[in-house]
Amino acid sequence: MNNLLEAHSVSKSFGNHVALNKVSVTVPQGSIFGLLGPNGAGKTTLIRIINQITMPDSGHILLDGQPLKNAHIKDIGYLPEERGLYKSMKVGEQALYLAQLKGMQKAEAKKKLHEWFERLEIGDWWNKKIQELSKGMAQKIQFVVTVLHEPKLLIFDEPFSGFDPINADIIKDEILRLKNNGATVIFSTHRMESVEELCDHIALIHKSNKILDGNLIYIKKQFKTNTFEVGLKTTNPELVRQNLTEHFAVSPAEFRTLGDELKLNVKVGENESSNDLLSYLTRQGEVSHFVELIPSVNDIFIKTVKSN
Amino acid sequence: MNHLPLIIKREYLTKVRNKSFVIMTVLSPLIMIALVTLVAYLSQINNDKVRHISILDESGLVYDKFTDEEFTKYTILDNMTLKTAKTVVKASDAYGLLYISAFDKPESITNGIKFYSQESPSISVISDLETAIESRLTDLNLIEKEVDISLIKSSTIDITVNQENFDGERTSTLDSFVKLIFGGASGYLLFMFIIIYGNMIMRSVIEEKTSRIIEVIISSVKPMQLMLGKIIGTSLAGVTQFVIWIVLGAVLFTSVSLIFDIDLSQIQTPQKELLQQSLSDSDINTQVELAMAAIQRLPLVNLIIAFFMFFIGGYLLYSSLYAAIGAAVDSETDTQQFMFPILMPLVLSVYVGFFTVIEDPHGTISTLFSFIPFTSPVVMLMRIPFGVPIWQQIVSLIILIITFILAVWFAAKIYKVGILMYGKKASYRELLKWMKY
């Protein structure tokens, strides 16, 4: 798989403050790439460098194998976290202006805009001023403007903020549709459930350094602890717990079931498989619940950030 | 990709379509015309009022010098003491009472002349009275000294010094006056233009910051392009406004004065008095002819070229600074601390222009300030009608252009960093730090 974007040890300081310290990331073609990190970690600086808004102090960035240059502006669509539109300008006029700034021809932009407006059912907003629209409505326009010129690389910084759940869902579907049409997406957010749902790859930036990156499934495999959530119906729970503790690392667990069976988190040793645990359990009682605990992005995020 | 024309077009259209711009453009000349008409009308009313002045001349030698004029009527009082005269005049609606005491010699009279009135009299009334009395007393004095007055009158010579420079071009007091008007007007125009449209640019930068569109825009265009587009677009809107004002003003002025038949020359302006003094007796037609001739003697080509060069240079210099200020702050209320260093040289240049240049267009101060880039556009524009050597203009222009380039570079740096800074209160130290980013 080709990489659409490669950042090689990019550094940037503002005065004495180091915003990025030799950060390298690779964004595979056609992926949805989650750029994560606590507030102030340096995500926005990296995104701005990719957008050529700020220049890096050192390091370089390749887009489609070529060093980043002015002509790449039309290949990128950027929805910043701090976003807005000219309040007193009309929707259509403004969208046309922004599209033309991205290098589109006026007629083509107009045609595509009408298509988008129709699909999102906002066609009658064309002659309204932004200040007459609600925040969510303006966000929709902003989204359309970002993706209108069909860029290879889309960068969304908190794309769902300001949307109600229904519209957030519409936008999510649109992002997935764009991905299926071949776009690569860099996605920066604090909403871990959207990362879980959308991202194939992630990078975690903390205090100006990249501390984790890669394929999400691969990362999850790295972080999994071979722990299983177990529900066991038995006549003597105390005895079973003691027996288990001799073989495995056991801790109490909390999950909802229909009965009041013994609930435990059981960690399997490195040389054992889930089958070993399962067969052991069946000898102790009736197994009503058996699930491998897969670490959530949220867990991975918190764990990695805290350990650094 | 060059987006400059696109940005200029948007900035221009946004400004021109703005409601307050339209209102300002249409309303300003109307208000101006209304004001001028009002002033003209009022001063006409004022002049229409007939003043009655009573005269008590105990010497009996001066009163016949006063003859009724259109708006001033004289009443000669007889056989009265000063006290009765005062009571009589006070009771009547007369403007005042002129009292001339009896005297032996015209030279000894000075303290014996008084003017009594309810309110302090207008300066022009008093000076008219003084002129009349002086002339009569001088005559009397001459007669007393046995001088033949008719001989003096016939030998009086009236001269005007014909001024000419070494290249043989004629100049006159009127010439200086015309130069003053041309220089002053162009300098002041630049000053106003910078303040009005500089502010407009600043507000438009702040608007992009507060509406948070700035990051969207600069992911497509370079901040430098955006800044220049903004400056040029706004200036074009400004030029449009000026052209509309001039056209509208001319049309309205003519029609109003035609409709109301108000003689606009009634307005007494200091300039007009100056003009009249310099031309004492010639009638209005020769005045106009002389003025036209004076205008034709101006270095017009030089003036027009220099006007454009210095106007553009000065305007761009200041407006880039305005743009930088807009980028450095979050709201218009925060701009105060940065406005002062911009307004200072501007105001200074207008003062230097109006005081020093008029006094001595080629003096040290005027020359110096016409080279300092922050004051040179205004001061040089005011000096040029008086004839400034071309090399001086070129040197001043080069200094201005170099400063302008530096200022744009400096402003662009601040602009680039500032537009993405929110919530940080910018101080001068902070700005210095931005330069290094």
Side-chain angles (χ1 to χ4, degrees):
Chain A
M1 189 155 54
N2 290 328
N3 291 325
L4 180 71
L5 184 95
E6 289 177 26
H8 294 285
S9 58
V10 171
S11 297
K12 176 75 189 174
S13 320
F14 297 106
N16 294 326
H17 171 69
V18 180
L20 285 177
N21 182 22
K22 292 185 180 159
V23 171
S24 302
V25 288
T26 48
V27 181
Q29 174 87 49
S31 66
I32 297 188
F33 186 93
L35 188 61
L36 315 179
N39 294 321
K43 294 177 308 249
T44 306
T45 305
L46 181 61
I47 290 175
R48 281 180 182 166
I49 288 173
I50 295 171
N51 275 296
Q52 305 178 64
I53 292 172
T54 7
M55 293 295 128
D57 295 338
S58 64
H60 64 282
I61 290 181
L62 301 179
L63 185 76
D64 237 357
Q66 288 173 337
L68 212 54
K69 54 176 187 265
N70 231 339
H72 281 138
I73 282 174
K74 65 173 186 339
D75 295 328
I76 302 178
Y78 174 36
L79 184 69
E81 187 181 5
E82 293 283 4
R83 54 184 174 254
L85 297 161
Y86 290 112
K87 291 203 173 59
S88 52
M89 232 176 145
K90 284 179 182 163
V91 170
E93 211 176 311
Q94 175 149 218
L96 276 180
Y97 172 65
L98 294 172
Q100 280 173 286
L101 285 186
K102 280 288 185 190
M104 288 182 90
Q105 292 303 313
K106 197 171 179 178
E108 186 202 358
K110 204 167 191 168
K111 193 174 139 248
K112 289 227 168 91
L113 268 174
H114 279 299
E115 280 170 26
W116 270 97
F117 276 31
E118 235 155 79
R119 186 163 58 244
L120 296 179
E121 293 164 3
I122 54 177
D124 50 338
W125 295 358
W126 188 271
N127 276 320
K128 281 196 177 164
K129 285 185 177 172
I130 294 292
Q131 60 199 6
E132 298 166 32
L133 302 179
S134 73
K135 192 182 173 198
M137 292 156 108
Q139 295 274 46
K140 258 188 180 172
I141 310 283
Q142 193 117 41
F143 179 83
V144 172
V145 165
T146 309
V147 303
L148 189 76
H149 58 293
E150 294 172 357
K152 290 181 203 163
L153 178 63
L154 284 163
I155 303 176
F156 296 118
D157 200 344
E158 294 293 353
F160 303 121
S161 73
F163 281 119
D164 60 50
I166 296 168
N167 278 313
D169 228 44
I170 294 175
I171 295 302
K172 195 189 81 193
D173 290 343
E174 288 298 335
I175 292 176
L176 286 172
R177 204 176 63 86
L178 289 163
K179 182 203 166 180
N180 290 335
N181 288 347
T184 307
V185 178
I186 294 178
F187 181 41
S188 172
T189 182
H190 289 130
R191 286 175 36 165
M192 292 306 154
E193 70 277 10
S194 355
V195 178
E196 204 89 57
E197 204 178 340
L198 293 170
C199 294
D200 324 309
H201 288 72
I202 61 164
L204 184 55
I205 295 178
H206 180 47
K207 289 186 180 157
S208 326
N209 291 285
K210 184 192 73 184
I211 52 176
L212 182 72
D213 74 332
N215 184 296
L216 188 56
I217 293 171
Y218 180 77
I219 287 175
K220 285 196 169 188
K221 277 183 184 159
Q222 270 186 326
F223 273 80
K224 75 171 189 173
T225 51
N226 287 334
T227 304
F228 294 84
E229 221 170 47
V230 170
L232 196 62
K233 285 181 181 161
T234 170
T235 45
N236 194 346
E238 265 319 297
L239 184 68
V240 171
R241 187 201 296 267
Q242 269 175 22
N243 286 344
L244 272 172
T245 313
E246 282 167 25
H247 290 84
F248 310 98
V250 176
S251 57
E254 292 241 358
F255 52 88
R256 279 170 180 251
T257 53
L258 295 175
D260 56 348
E261 59 269 73
L262 175 66
K263 294 169 186 172
L264 294 170
N265 280 337
V266 184
K267 190 177 176 184
V268 178
E270 279 189 16
N271 300 323
E272 289 160 310
S273 72
S274 56
N275 270 349
D276 295 334
L277 172 61
L278 197 56
S279 61
Y280 184 87
L281 285 173
T282 47
R283 273 177 268 135
Q284 306 286 330
E286 189 193 340
V287 177
S288 61
H289 183 95
F290 190 83
V291 178
E292 182 173 10
L293 280 182
I294 299 168
S296 67
V297 179
N298 200 40
D299 295 336
I300 295 171
F301 183 94
I302 292 172
K303 199 174 166 189
T304 323
V305 167
K306 278 194 173 160
S307 69
N308 274 273
Chain B
M1 272 178 290
N2 185 13
H3 296 305
L4 200 54
L6 204 61
I7 299 169
I8 293 174
K9 189 176 146 204
R10 194 204 82 87
E11 291 294 333
Y12 178 79
L13 287 179
T14 323
K15 297 281 169 321
V16 172
R17 283 190 202 151
N18 188 298
K19 276 199 193 84
S20 64
F21 181 92
V22 176
I23 293 171
M24 265 287 284
T25 310
V26 177
L27 229 51
S28 300
L30 283 177
I31 293 172
M32 275 297 286
I33 297 292
L35 271 178
V36 169
T37 317
L38 192 71
V39 170
Y41 181 64
L42 286 180
S43 58
Q44 220 164 20
I45 292 181
N46 209 19
N47 286 346
D48 279 351
K49 217 174 97 183
V50 178
R51 291 197 183 97
H52 292 279
I53 293 176
S54 306
I55 298 170
L56 181 62
D57 183 4
E58 288 183 349
S59 70
L61 293 167
V62 184
Y63 70 91
D64 58 340
K65 179 78 183 175
F66 297 101
T67 46
D68 286 357
E69 283 159 38
E70 198 180 353
F71 297 117
T72 322
K73 308 281 183 214
Y74 299 102
T75 320
I76 313 298
L77 302 176
D78 274 331
N79 306 321
M80 257 187 229
T81 62
L82 175 59
K83 210 175 161 194
T84 5
K86 270 159 90 176
T87 336
V88 170
V89 173
K90 198 177 173 187
S92 74
D93 61 348
Y95 187 76
L97 167 67
L98 176 69
Y99 168 70
I100 301 162
S101 67
F103 56 86
D104 301 331
K105 287 184 169 188
E107 285 156 336
S108 60
I109 188 72
T110 29
N111 285 324
I113 299 171
K114 290 204 167 81
F115 189 81
Y116 301 94
S117 65
Q118 199 73 38
E119 290 141 17
S120 24
S122 105
I123 292 168
S124 61
V125 168
I126 294 295
S127 79
D128 282 354
L129 293 176
E130 279 172 349
T131 318
I133 299 168
E134 266 167 23
S135 127
R136 170 53 56 95
L137 290 182
T138 310
D139 286 356
L140 288 173
N141 208 2
L142 289 170
I143 291 166
E144 191 147 303
K145 289 181 174 149
E146 293 170 357
V147 180
D148 187 350
I149 297 175
S150 59
L151 201 60
I152 290 183
K153 288 215 167 123
S154 63
S155 11
T156 303
I157 290 172
D158 217 8
I159 63 140
T160 321
V161 175
N162 287 314
Q163 303 165 41
E164 202 169 294
N165 69 12
F166 290 117
D167 297 332
E169 286 168 24
R170 282 153 162 267
T171 51
S172 69
T173 325
L174 178 69
D175 274 13
S176 304
F177 182 67
V178 168
K179 285 169 184 170
L180 199 73
I181 298 239
F182 266 74
S186 41
Y188 199 70
L189 196 67
L190 173 60
F191 171 74
M192 290 303 291
F193 203 85
I194 287 175
I195 291 199
I196 295 177
Y197 296 99
N199 258 302
M200 213 181 250
I201 289 168
M202 191 178 75
R203 273 204 302 277
S204 139
V205 175
I206 294 175
E207 189 217 329
E208 277 177 358
K209 262 188 94 171
T210 47
S211 72
R212 301 284 200 258
I213 194 177
I214 189 70
E215 201 165 341
V216 177
I217 301 275
I218 59 168
S219 67
S220 310
V221 298
K222 296 267 163 249
M224 181 84 159
Q225 255 184 34
L226 181 62
M227 191 178 92
L228 284 181
K230 219 171 238 319
I231 290 173
I232 298 172
T234 310
S235 337
L236 288 179
V239 171
T240 311
Q241 195 168 40
F242 264 82
V243 169
I244 294 175
W245 277 349
I246 289 168
V247 172
L248 218 60
V251 171
L252 284 173
F253 215 75
T254 335
S255 49
V256 165
S257 47
L258 279 179
I259 293 166
F260 294 99
D261 196 27
I262 287 166
D263 186 2
L264 289 163
S265 62
Q266 288 279 342
I267 311 162
Q268 299 277 331
T269 54
Q271 286 91 332
K272 238 191 120 192
E273 273 161 25
L274 202 90
L275 193 73
Q276 271 158 354
Q277 273 165 27
S278 71
L279 291 160
S280 49
D281 287 331
S282 39
D283 61 35
I284 193 81
N285 279 332
T286 30
Q287 277 184 37
V288 171
E289 268 167 36
L290 281 172
M292 291 311 290
I295 289 170
Q296 276 164 10
R297 276 198 296 277
L298 285 176
L300 275 181
V301 176
N302 183 352
L303 201 66
I304 290 166
I305 293 174
F307 180 77
F308 278 109
M309 302 296 263
F310 280 98
F311 199 94
I312 293 170
Y315 174 73
L316 290 181
L317 172 62
Y318 275 100
S319 52
S320 59
L321 294 181
Y322 270 105
I325 293 178
V329 299
D330 276 347
S331 72
E332 228 178 313
T333 43
D334 295 340
T335 56
Q336 303 298 2
Q337 55 163 335
F338 299 112
M339 293 303 288
F340 182 68
I342 285 203
L343 287 177
M344 252 267 292
L346 262 183
V347 173
L348 187 70
S349 61
V350 171
Y351 275 114
V352 167
F354 275 124
F355 292 114
T356 325
V357 172
I358 287 169
E359 192 62 33
D360 182 5
H362 305 299
T364 324
I365 299 287
S366 316
T367 314
L368 180 68
F369 276 96
S370 63
F371 282 109
I372 297 174
F374 287 91
T375 52
S376 69
V378 173
V379 178
M380 192 54 108
L381 281 182
M382 291 191 178
R383 275 187 70 202
I384 284 176
F386 295 95
V388 176
I390 296 292
W391 72 264
Q392 277 195 18
Q393 296 182 32
I394 290 174
V395 169
S396 167
L397 201 59
I398 288 172
I399 296 175
L400 181 64
I401 289 170
I402 291 171
T403 320
F404 155 63
I405 291 169
L406 282 176
V408 169
W409 173 82
F410 164 83
K413 279 223 147 190
I414 292 194
Y415 187 82
K416 227 164 74 180
V417 180
I419 42 180
L420 292 173
M421 288 278 179
Y422 292 109
K424 226 180 208 174
K425 193 125 186 153
S427 60
Y428 284 107
R429 187 188 297 186
E430 192 77 26
L431 292 191
L432 268 181
K433 249 165 71 188
W434 292 2
M435 303 296 296
K436 294 180 205 139
Y437 283 2

